[in-house]
């Protein structure tokens, strides 16, 4: 290699500015201005400089915004183009960014693509279109192994947007949980301490697991689900929990999910299932330690909040106890429209009204039976349906709804409403 790459130093400023300035006309322009680049350099944002025989020949600079870094500029002296210097600089820069716990690295660079005449006619001024390149930095090394041992992983980034409807719950979780964790400094300015543990309760199939995963996805944190059944395989459940939490403590950021938590922290009444006292006690002891860490959240879900040990749920341990009910009309409409999209003439409002108390899982089931009915009709009469008549009709859906036994009964709703009164903390 004919160059050395070092961290940017103050006395590189003039040379780097010269490089940025003189290469701008060579297809190396950037969406960041020279002034912005200088601003980043002088405020000690990460930057690297390549030197050959004492002369700076290339530079790459970034600036940090939260957990994302923007690569602002890669400038290469003309004589050094096409020799792999750009990727060498980028590699060095990325190494420094990863050290600073950056998870996403973004690079916006101009792209030669003409915009339509139509836009110009509509009064738009042409600016060079931008190509947006992004690279996720997956955890590597010991942390990745640790995550694997815990059965954890990073989830796709769009799960939050995929939660259909449930606006009230989404809003609440967004304001109370997601934002304080995502913007801890901003929260601290108002004296808000981000939550460390929340419980989601509600009837089966209403989306508790879905919400837990969506929060992890939204925060970009790894999702670790502790399955009591799997932990118990290792023999002593209390000891297995202790080991799991010790491993979790070594992760930089994590969302830990315990589903059906009533199984491991039931009421400690006389005659409670043998051996569970010890497990509940262990969990009670583990939560304070877990709460001391930053960038971590414990989410517990239960169908039966009333059968949980009250000591387990008290405020110092759980910040919020959030009810997740059956979807409201808007949520049902959003969920139905996801399944009933094959035909344009399906009357969504009819389905929404007919499916009160249906959970998302019930809707999915009814939609599937309706599609099956349409398919079987097609098989039966032998005539292939036209493109507009394929798929379930409103009547198919109505029949499927009528034939479906909702998971949640009125008695369960009554119980849930009472639980909201006695247990919810939002
Ligand atoms: N808001 C939603 N939009 C679309 N689909 C949803 C929504 N909520 C839940 N679902 C779907 O409904 C099904 C059940 O959801 P989920 O498993 O999250 O419920 P749960 O409350 O955890 O149930 P359980 O109490 O049985 O554990 C899943 O297939 C999920 O994808
Ligand atoms: Mg669940």
């Amino acid at each position: 290699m004919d160059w050395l790459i070092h961290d940017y130093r103050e006395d590189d400023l003039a040379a780097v500015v010269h490089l940025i300035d003189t290469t701008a006309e060579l297809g190396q322009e950037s969406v960041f201005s020279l002034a912005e680049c200088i601003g980043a350099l002088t405020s000690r944002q990460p930057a690297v400089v390549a030197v050959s025989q004492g002369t700076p020949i290339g530079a790459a600079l970034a600036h940090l915004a939260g957990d994302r870094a923007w690569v602002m500029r890669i400038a290469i002296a003309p004589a050094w183009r096409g020799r792999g210097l750009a990727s060498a600089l980028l590699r060095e820069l990325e190494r420094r960014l990863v050290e600073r716990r950056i998870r996403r690295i973004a690079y916006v660079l101009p792209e030669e693509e003409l915009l339509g005449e139509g836009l110009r006619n509509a009064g738009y001024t042409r600016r060079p279109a931008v190509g947006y390149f992004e690279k996720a930095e997956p955890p590597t090394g010991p942390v990745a192994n640790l995550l694997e041992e815990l059965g954890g992983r990073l989830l796709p980034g769009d799960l939050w947007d995929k939660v259909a409807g449930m606006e009230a719950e989404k809003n609440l979780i967004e304001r109370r949980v997601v934002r304080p964790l995502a913007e801890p400094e901003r929260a601290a300015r108002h004296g808000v301490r981000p939550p460390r543990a929340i419980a989601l309760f509600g009837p089966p199939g209403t989306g508790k697991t879905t919400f837990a995963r969506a929060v992890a996805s939204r925060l970009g944190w790894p999702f670790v689900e502790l399955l009591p059944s799997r932990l118990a395989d290792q023999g002593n459940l209390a000891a297995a929990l202790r080991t799991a939490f010790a491993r979790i403590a070594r992760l930089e950021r994590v969302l830990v999910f315990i589903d059906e938590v009533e199984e491991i922290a039931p009421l400690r009444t006389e005659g409670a299932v043998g051996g569970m006292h010890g497990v509940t006690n262990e969990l009670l002891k583990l939560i304070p330690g877990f709460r001391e860490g930053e960038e971590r959240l414990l989410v517990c879900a239960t169908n039966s909040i009333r059968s949980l040990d009250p000591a387990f749920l008290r405020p110092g341990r759980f910040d919020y106890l959030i009810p997740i009910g059956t979807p409201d009309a808007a949520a049902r409409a959003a969920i139905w429209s996801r399944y009933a999209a094959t035909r344009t003439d399906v009357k969504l409002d009819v389905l929404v009204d007919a499916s009160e108390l249906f959970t998302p899982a019930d809707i999915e089931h009814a939609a599937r039976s309706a599609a099956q009915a349409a398919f079987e009709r097609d098989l039966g009469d032998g005539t292939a349906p036209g493109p507009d008549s394929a798929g379930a009709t409103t009547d198919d859906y109505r029949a499927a709804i009528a034939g479906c036994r909702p998971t949640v009964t009125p008695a369960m709703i009554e119980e849930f409403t009472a639980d909201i009164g006695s247990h919810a903390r939002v």
Side-chain angles (χ1 to χ4, degrees), residues 162-177:
K162 281 192 175 160
V163 178
M166 309 299 267
E167 286 307 320
E169 288 87 349
K170 268 182 113 169
N171 244 319
L172 185 79
I173 294 176
E174 158 113 28
R175 283 178 283 126
R176 303 280 204 280
V177 181

Side-chain angles (χ1 to χ4, degrees), residues 205 208-210 257 259-260 301:
K208 298 176 292 294
T209 302
T210 304
F257 180 58
D259 207 354
E260 289 165 30

Side-chain angles (χ1 to χ4, degrees), residues 49-118:
V49 179
V51 179
S52 174
Q53 300 185 336
T55 309
I57 55 166
L61 34 151
H63 86 244
L64 310 180
D67 66 359
R68 186 196 336 239
W70 294 92
V71 176
M72 300 181 81
R73 189 72 153 80
I74 300 177
I76 311 276
W80 290 88
R81 298 186 71 183
R83 299 210 216 168
L85 181 55
S87 40
L89 281 166
L90 207 46
R91 261 198 312 277
E92 284 301 306
L93 187 63
E94 283 176 8
R95 209 161 53 75
R96 287 157 173 80
L97 297 176
V98 171
E99 279 165 12
R100 297 215 198 178
R101 298 189 183 187
I102 289 298
R103 277 196 330 105
R104 287 177 298 161
I105 301 174
Y107 190 7
V108 178
L109 87 170
E111 182 185 302
E112 283 315 308
E113 196 180 296
L114 293 173
L115 283 179
E117 197 59 29

Side-chain angles (χ1 to χ4, degrees), residues 108-173:
V108 178
L109 87 170
E111 182 185 302
E112 283 315 308
E113 196 180 296
L114 293 173
L115 283 179
E117 197 59 29
L119 279 175
R120 218 171 271 137
N121 291 341
Y124 287 79
T125 313
R126 183 178 182 277
R127 291 169 61 98
V130 292
Y132 180 78
F133 291 68
E134 193 173 79
K135 182 171 177 182
E137 283 297 337
T140 51
V143 168
N145 297 340
L146 198 58
L147 203 55
E148 209 173 289
E149 282 168 36
L150 286 160
R153 62 206 173 89
L154 275 170
L155 300 174
D158 58 353
L159 298 188
W160 181 262
D161 294 331
K162 281 192 175 160
V163 178
M166 309 299 267
E167 286 307 320
E169 288 87 349
K170 268 182 113 169
N171 244 319
L172 185 79
I173 294 176

Side-chain angles (χ1 to χ4, degrees), residues 106-418:
Y107 190 7
V108 178
L109 87 170
E111 182 185 302
E112 283 315 308
E113 196 180 296
L114 293 173
L115 283 179
E117 197 59 29
L119 279 175
R120 218 171 271 137
N121 291 341
Y124 287 79
T125 313
R126 183 178 182 277
R127 291 169 61 98
V130 292
Y132 180 78
F133 291 68
E134 193 173 79
K135 182 171 177 182
E137 283 297 337
T140 51
V143 168
N145 297 340
L146 198 58
L147 203 55
E148 209 173 289
E149 282 168 36
L150 286 160
R153 62 206 173 89
L154 275 170
L155 300 174
D158 58 353
L159 298 188
W160 181 262
D161 294 331
K162 281 192 175 160
V163 178
M166 309 299 267
E167 286 307 320
E169 288 87 349
K170 268 182 113 169
N171 244 319
L172 185 79
I173 294 176
E174 158 113 28
R175 283 178 283 126
R176 303 280 204 280
V177 181
V178 173
R179 299 297 290 272
L181 287 168
E183 301 174 70
E185 285 97 22
R186 189 168 177 183
R189 283 208 297 275
H190 300 280
V192 167
R193 266 190 296 163
R196 300 285 173 233
I198 63 170
L200 305 177
F201 69 95
T206 49
K208 298 176 292 294
T209 302
T210 304
F211 264 111
R213 290 166 51 86
V215 169
S217 154
R218 178 79 192 277
L219 289 167
W221 293 2
F223 181 83
V224 170
E225 174 162 9
L226 294 184
L227 291 163
S229 56
R230 219 177 74 189
L231 292 175
D233 281 350
Q234 299 163 27
N236 179 330
L237 181 53
L241 273 174
R242 210 164 37 235
T243 311
F245 272 87
R247 285 182 177 160
I248 285 164
R250 287 164 52 205
L251 292 172
E252 226 164 71
R253 42 176 66 165
V254 63
L255 187 150
V256 178
F257 180 58
I258 305 180
D259 207 354
E260 289 165 30
V261 71
E262 71 276 7
E263 285 183 11
I264 58 173
L267 280 167
R268 285 176 293 183
T269 49
E270 306 261 345
V273 202
M276 276 301 157
H277 283 182
V279 177
T280 308
N281 287 338
E282 190 60 47
L283 205 52
L284 291 180
K285 276 190 272 170
L286 288 169
I287 291 176
F290 179 87
R291 295 187 60 93
E292 279 167 20
E294 271 167 37
E295 299 201 286
R296 50 204 58 238
L297 179 68
L298 173 66
V299 180
C300 291
T302 179
N303 295 329
S304 178
I305 192 128
R306 56 178 68 187
S307 53
L308 280 166
D309 193 310
F312 176 69
L313 291 174
R314 75 166 171 73
R317 300 204 167 91
F318 281 82
D319 304 277
Y320 298 115
L321 309 180
I322 300 173
I324 306 286
T326 50
D328 54 16
R332 292 201 301 281
I335 298 168
W336 273 117
S337 65
R338 184 175 292 177
Y339 299 113
T342 40
R343 299 174 68 113
T344 49
D345 59 351
V346 174
K347 296 199 182 70
L348 274 188
D349 51 341
V350 171
L351 309 189
V352 168
D353 287 346
S355 57
E356 221 188 312
L357 289 199
F358 272 42
T359 63
D362 293 334
I363 294 178
E364 188 179 332
H365 174 70
R368 197 174 291 164
S369 336
Q372 183 66 26
F375 172 62
E376 287 178 16
R377 189 167 53 241
D378 178 20
L379 290 180
D381 66 15
T383 54
D388 297 332
S389 59
T393 62
T394 305
D395 281 341
D396 289 327
Y397 286 115
R398 221 185 332 224
I401 291 169
C404 174
R405 205 175 330 106
T407 318
V408 179
T409 60
M412 285 160 88
I413 290 293
E414 213 169 285
E415 205 172 280
F416 178 54
T417 312

